[in-house]
Amino acid sequence: MFKKLLPALNLRLLILLLAFSAATSTLIGSFYSTYQVQKEQLTAFTLKSNLAYAQKLASTTDNFLESALQQLAYSAKVIEQATDDIKQLNNEAIRLNHQTNSFNSVVINIDGIIAATSPRFEKIIGKPINSPGALEALKEKRPLVSHPYMSAAGNLIVFISHPLFDSQGNYLGYIGGSLYLKEKNILNALLEQHYYEGGSYLYVVSSDKRILYHPEPNRIGSVVTNNAVIDAVLSGEKGVLQVTNSKNKPMLAGYAPVTLSGWGIVAQRPLKSTLSSLDTLTVEVIKRTIPMALVTFIFIGLFAHFIARPLKRLADNANTLDTPKSLEKLKNVKSWYFESHQLKTAMLKGVSLLQSQIGQLRHDAQTDPLTGAHNRRSLDSIVDCLIGEQTPFAILEIDIDFFKRVNDTFGHDIGDEVLKSLTNIIKSLCRKGDIVARTGGEEFILILPNEDSKSAFHIAQRLRNTVADTQMQTAGFITVSIGIATWPHHSEDIEQVYKSADKALYYAKNHGRNRCCIAD
């Protein structure tokens, strides 16, 4: 039905519609590529920032725990020689509890019995203590940050302790401080003072995967399983990872371990929040692009009746700019007047520019992986551009003589080194704008823009002599044969030019090798 409607449409409107379609598809492709690149960069930056943030907090937490142990060590030295002086023990417990804000409570345990404690816990003085943290301290007899445990009153506690020894080195007990993780404490204060924005948050887990700190207090004390970030950080690693949190939201996480206690700190930000600024920027770019696009379409509409037939063909081809044959179709358009020829040239350059921008992403697909020279696909694209711009050029088809002997004698590894060395020789003799491509096992093509057969022959001879005089590592000396043809002198059909160069190469091969021949 649409095809039946086309003849009835005004030609200028049809051209405008086709141009609009082509420009829109190009813009969308450009916006999409730009968006994806910016998205990757923004994601990588956020992951890196979260890693630095997690490392900073891990270092801060390590410093806090080390400082707490030093405070206990100082108090231990004070009371080790006076463990029988109950008054001094009580004074030290009270001093440590009031003069520092590192602990929610302080306990001094002598011979397994509570000898002194913070004023709020005076009821337990004289009684044995059987909490997991206390038992762990009695068992280890060393400076210790305990595993987190639940008290009888339902508090999640981490116990930090330092042993007591008499002058003969006999173990007497310990002095320790408790952190009630579900109550206000200095560790929470250290972590809560950091800035949260756009859904970012951090949490701390212990070595048994129990949450020690979380912005949501109800999460503290819960055990987290099946979390790749927690598994990594508790194994002592630091790094970044994109994960899905407990609310099924994609998150960008950075993590770092707390070495002194075996804890892990994770800083993460929602992926959606990270990309929100990019979405806003993309909308602004589109808004700024639309006026210029509209001006362009109006200009095309005003002058459509002057450029009807060739522009129609150009517009038809504009919808297929992303196809492999787009350059060939544009080349076949008969641009018989200046404006259409300029537009055709601009479209060809536009396609070349688009391919150049995308080239970073498909470099491997267009380059010979061994030598770094262009491959056949890349060569064809460049040649099409030269033809579209009506730039004459010479083709040198280069083939290594008796290359099979090199592989058979020295092995394929040495053969590969010979190919690389030959590529370097060719490139060293090239001017800016010359194109080197590897099109087969030992076959190369050198494109020389703005050269005729005579000048190309002199360049080929210089190349042949340089190769013959250069000793290859291990393989020794090699020679090359070269066939020469030019466009459009030999033919306006590029395939015929290639065939002419092939015939010249075969002639050189069949008449002694190590020579250059120009196609008839």
Side-chain angles (χ1 to χ4, degrees), residues 453-484:
S453 297
K454 183 177 179 181
S455 60
F457 180 79
H458 289 302
I459 294 173
Q461 284 285 63
R462 186 165 72 250
L463 171 60
R464 181 185 63 80
N465 291 330
T466 301
V467 173
D469 294 338
T470 302
Q471 185 173 7
M472 305 293 176
Q473 185 175 2
T474 305
F477 294 93
I478 64 168
T479 60
V480 295
S481 298
I482 303 175
I484 305 167

Side-chain angles (χ1 to χ4, degrees), residues 73-90:
Y74 176 82
S75 294
K77 291 297 181 183
V78 171
I79 64 176
E80 277 178 339
Q81 305 306 320
T83 55
D84 294 331
D85 188 341
I86 301 302
K87 182 178 180 180
Q88 184 172 345
L89 295 181
N90 281 323

Side-chain angles (χ1 to χ4, degrees), residues 35 92 255 299 481:
Y35 180 87
E92 185 61 25
Y255 53 88
F299 177 83
S481 298

Side-chain angles (χ1 to χ4, degrees), residues 317 320-332 348 351 355 384:
N317 286 303
T320 59
L321 288 178
D322 56 346
T323 63
K325 296 183 179 180
S326 60
L327 283 174
E328 183 67 25
K329 291 181 179 179
L330 287 174
K331 180 179 63 177
N332 292 331
L348 287 170
V351 173
Q355 291 176 344
D384 286 341

Side-chain angles (χ1 to χ4, degrees), residues 415-435:
D416 290 346
E417 293 302 319
V418 170
L419 293 174
K420 293 178 184 178
S421 298
L422 176 59
T423 304
N424 292 333
I425 293 173
I426 297 173
K427 288 181 177 180
S428 68
L429 297 177
C430 286
R431 308 159 305 168
K432 183 179 180 180
D434 294 345
I435 307 301

Side-chain angles (χ1 to χ4, degrees), residues 104-285:
N104 293 89
S105 65
V106 176
V107 173
I108 300 176
N109 189 319
I110 305 297
D111 296 327
I113 302 299
I114 302 300
T117 185
S118 304
R120 60 184 287 200
F121 297 103
E122 290 179 348
K123 294 180 180 180
I124 67 172
I125 293 177
K127 298 180 180 180
I129 186 169
N130 297 316
S131 66
L135 295 177
E136 187 176 359
L138 289 171
K139 177 182 178 182
E140 295 293 334
K141 296 181 177 62
R142 62 180 176 84
L144 181 68
V145 179
S146 77
H147 293 90
Y149 61 93
M150 298 297 296
S151 69
N155 291 318
L156 180 64
I157 297 176
V158 170
F159 191 62
I160 305 174
S161 62
H162 193 283
L164 302 174
F165 296 96
D166 61 18
S167 58
Q168 285 75 39
N170 298 314
Y171 179 71
L172 302 175
Y174 62 81
I175 179 171
S178 300
L179 290 179
Y180 290 8
L181 299 179
K182 289 187 176 183
E183 296 182 7
K184 187 174 183 61
N185 58 73
I186 187 172
L187 180 60
N188 290 354
L190 286 173
L191 299 175
E192 287 176 350
Q193 69 181 347
H194 296 282
Y195 185 61
Y196 297 90
E197 180 183 36
S200 299
Y201 65 92
L202 62 93
Y203 61 91
V204 182
V205 292
S206 65
S207 58
D208 58 356
K209 300 184 179 181
R210 189 182 301 273
I211 294 180
L212 304 181
Y213 170 80
H214 197 282
E216 300 176 11
N218 61 310
R219 296 290 304 279
I220 296 176
S222 61
V223 176
V224 181
T225 58
N226 299 322
N227 188 307
V229 170
I230 292 178
D231 292 339
V233 73
L234 292 184
S235 65
E237 300 176 8
K238 62 180 179 181
V240 297
L241 200 62
Q242 182 171 336
V243 294
T244 301
N245 69 0
S246 59
K247 296 181 180 179
N248 206 31
K249 291 183 179 180
M251 307 294 289
L252 302 176
Y255 53 88
V258 180
T259 55
L260 192 60
S261 60
W263 300 347
I265 292 185
V266 181
Q268 55 189 23
R269 176 181 174 88
L271 178 62
K272 183 178 180 180
S273 299
T274 300
L275 300 181
S276 61
S277 60
L278 178 59
D279 295 337
T280 302
L281 178 62
T282 302
V283 171
E284 289 299 318
V285 171

